[in-house]
């Protein structure tokens, strides 16, 4: 074992022990060069990132605010993700193909009648083409696989394996259920008003009194046993067990107490996670690039950085999959 490997093992042991509590007295000063991508594809990827982040902020407000602290961070991180996919030597990407897939500023939301036509036009100029790697090959990103599927068996794995699309056998009117044992079931879904025995057979995923229906919306009565409320792109709802009404989920900032998250009343926003910290449950920001991370304890990295060997790093090539 090399000196570097011994040093890493020692650091990781200390990290693993301290990660159980995340109290204020626990700090890891060690850091590494995260390997941030260079200038290649940056301009084209920035255009694509700006389009997707703007669309997310405009059409899926709740999910944007839950996942990102602000628009600038979203654009920067999505730009990095785009660069990493494009720089994979096994992926078929260049500046022109990246720009062709950028969403225009006026791209309609999914609730807009013009959405379907706009999506068809986007698919025409931005085909979903995979890379050159066959199934069974080690991969760094989905863009490298001919199937477009690159999966990891464990969160600690540096890279995944190219695998066939498990849902290819399902038709457009079916819901694909992919289980952990890698088996797949294709379920034909029904619209509201059709008979049902479980929510998975309904387009709305909600089965009430053996009939497919829309879940109750904000302010409407809900059932505490079922707990379902209408999902929305703009707000998130939960069933208040006291009022038996659907109410809005409050998004919290990093550092705020999230003890009530188990009831569904609150959720951490801005990309933070609800973790034990200082003796209570607190919204904690992801670890910074190059800083120590504790994936097994819930403290991960800000995407697209990955927790590799105990530190938040970027993977820029398939050659980095193999450990030295």
């Amino acid at each position: 074992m090399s000196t570097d490997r011994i040093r890493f093992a020692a650091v990781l042991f200390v990290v693993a022990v301290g990660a159980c509590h995340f109290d204020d007295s626990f700090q890891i000063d060690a850091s590494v060069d995260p390997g941030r991508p260079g200038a290649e594809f940056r301009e084209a990827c920035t255009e694509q990132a700006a389009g997707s982040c703007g669309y997310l902020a405009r059409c899926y407000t709740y999910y944007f605010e839950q996942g990102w602290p602000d628009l600038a961070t979203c654009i920067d991180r999505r730009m990095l993700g785009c660069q990493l996919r494009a720089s994979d030597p096994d992926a078929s990407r260049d500046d022109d193909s990246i720009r062709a897939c950028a969403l225009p500023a006026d791209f309609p939301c999914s609730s807009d009648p013009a959405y379907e036509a706009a999506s068809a036009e986007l698919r025409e100029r931005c085909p979903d083409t995979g890379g050159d790697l066959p199934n069974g090959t080690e991969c760094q990103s989905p863009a490298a696989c001919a199937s477009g599927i690159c999966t990891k068996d464990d969160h600690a794995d540096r890279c995944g394996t190219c695998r066939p699309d498990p849902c290819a056998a399902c038709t457009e009117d079916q819901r694909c259920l992919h289980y952990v044992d890698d088996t797949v079931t294709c379920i034909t879904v029904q619209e509201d008003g059709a008979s049902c025995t479980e929510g998975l057979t309904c387009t709305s995923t909600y089965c009430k009194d053996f009939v497919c229906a829309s879940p109750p919306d904000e302010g409407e009565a809900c059932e505490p046993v079922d707990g379902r409320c209408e999902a929305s792109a703009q707000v998130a709802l939960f069933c208040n067990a006291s009022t038996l009404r659907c109410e809005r989920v409050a998004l919290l900032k990093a550092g705020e107490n999230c003890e009530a998250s188990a009831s569904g009343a609150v959720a951490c926003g801005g990309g933070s996670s609800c973790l034990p910290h200082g003796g209570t449950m607190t919204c904690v920001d992801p670890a910074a690039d190059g800083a120590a991370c504790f994936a097994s304890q819930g403290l991960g990295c800000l995407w697209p950085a990955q927790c590799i060997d105990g530190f938040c790093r970027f993977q820029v090539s398939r050659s980095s999959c193999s450990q030295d």
Side-chain angles (χ1 to χ4, degrees):
M1 179 179 286
S2 69
T3 303
D4 286 344
R5 186 63 58 80
I6 294 173
R7 178 177 58 80
F8 264 121
V11 170
L12 289 175
F13 176 77
V14 173
V15 168
V17 170
C20 296
H21 303 288
F22 294 115
D23 60 41
D24 296 328
S25 63
F26 175 71
Q27 293 185 0
I28 292 292
D29 295 327
S31 62
V32 298
D33 178 1
R36 187 182 175 99
E40 189 178 21
F41 305 116
R42 182 178 296 166
E43 290 186 10
C45 283
T46 298
E47 291 180 23
Q48 188 180 103
S52 61
C53 288
Y55 179 79
L56 187 66
R58 177 167 51 87
C59 299
Y60 295 90
T61 307
Y62 174 80
Y63 299 105
F64 174 83
E65 293 178 349
Q66 185 180 40
W68 304 105
D70 50 56
L71 185 62
T73 301
C74 177
I75 293 174
D76 179 63
R77 305 308 288 195
R78 288 200 169 217
M79 175 201 71
L80 290 169
C82 171
Q83 283 186 286
L84 291 169
R85 291 190 298 271
S87 62
D88 189 320
D90 299 300
S92 302
R93 296 288 189 274
D94 56 29
D95 286 335
D96 290 340
S97 64
I98 292 170
R99 287 192 169 94
C101 295
L103 292 177
D106 59 351
F107 195 83
C109 298
S110 58
S111 57
D112 191 313
Y115 175 78
E116 291 299 332
S119 297
E121 189 277 331
L122 178 64
R123 289 192 295 269
E124 183 69 23
R125 62 181 170 85
C126 175
D128 186 17
T129 55
D132 301 323
L133 299 182
N135 293 330
T137 307
E138 192 175 55
C139 51
Q140 187 260 323
S141 73
C145 301
S147 65
I149 307 292
C150 177
T151 59
K152 291 184 178 182
D153 293 322
D154 186 84
H155 67 79
D157 290 344
R158 284 172 171 247
C159 284
T161 303
C162 290
R163 291 176 179 165
D165 182 359
C167 297
C170 298
T171 61
E172 290 186 1
D173 63 341
Q174 291 181 317
R175 176 168 287 130
C176 175
L177 302 182
H178 186 197
Y179 300 98
V180 293
D181 63 358
D182 223 23
T183 58
V184 171
T185 300
C186 298
I187 298 179
T188 300
V189 293
Q190 306 289 336
E191 299 296 331
D192 289 357
S195 60
C196 58
T197 56
E198 59 177 338
L200 288 174
T201 63
C202 304
T203 301
S204 64
T205 70
Y206 186 64
C207 181
K208 180 177 175 57
D209 298 329
F210 302 104
V211 177
C212 290
S214 296
D217 208 337
E218 184 174 5
E220 295 180 346
C222 56
E223 300 175 6
V225 176
D226 177 83
R228 279 292 304 277
C229 292
E230 180 68 65
S232 169
Q234 302 299 330
V235 298
L237 304 174
F238 77 105
C239 185
N240 189 315
S242 298
T243 65
L244 298 183
R245 297 281 174 179
C246 291
E247 299 178 8
R248 293 194 180 197
V249 176
L251 279 179
L252 306 177
K253 296 180 180 179
E256 293 187 314
N257 184 299
C258 54
E259 290 282 357
S261 62
S263 69
V266 301
C268 292
S272 60
S273 301
C274 190
L275 298 172
H277 183 78
T280 187
M281 298 300 291
T282 305
C283 291
V284 179
D285 279 329
D289 297 341
C293 49
F294 319 103
S296 63
Q297 299 295 328
L299 182 63
C301 308
L302 184 59
W303 184 89
Q306 302 175 57
C307 193
I308 300 173
D309 292 338
F311 292 91
C312 291
R313 312 168 188 255
F314 297 104
Q315 249 175 280
V316 295
S317 69
R318 188 156 57 101
S319 61
S320 63
C321 293
S322 302
Q323 297 194 32
D324 297 328

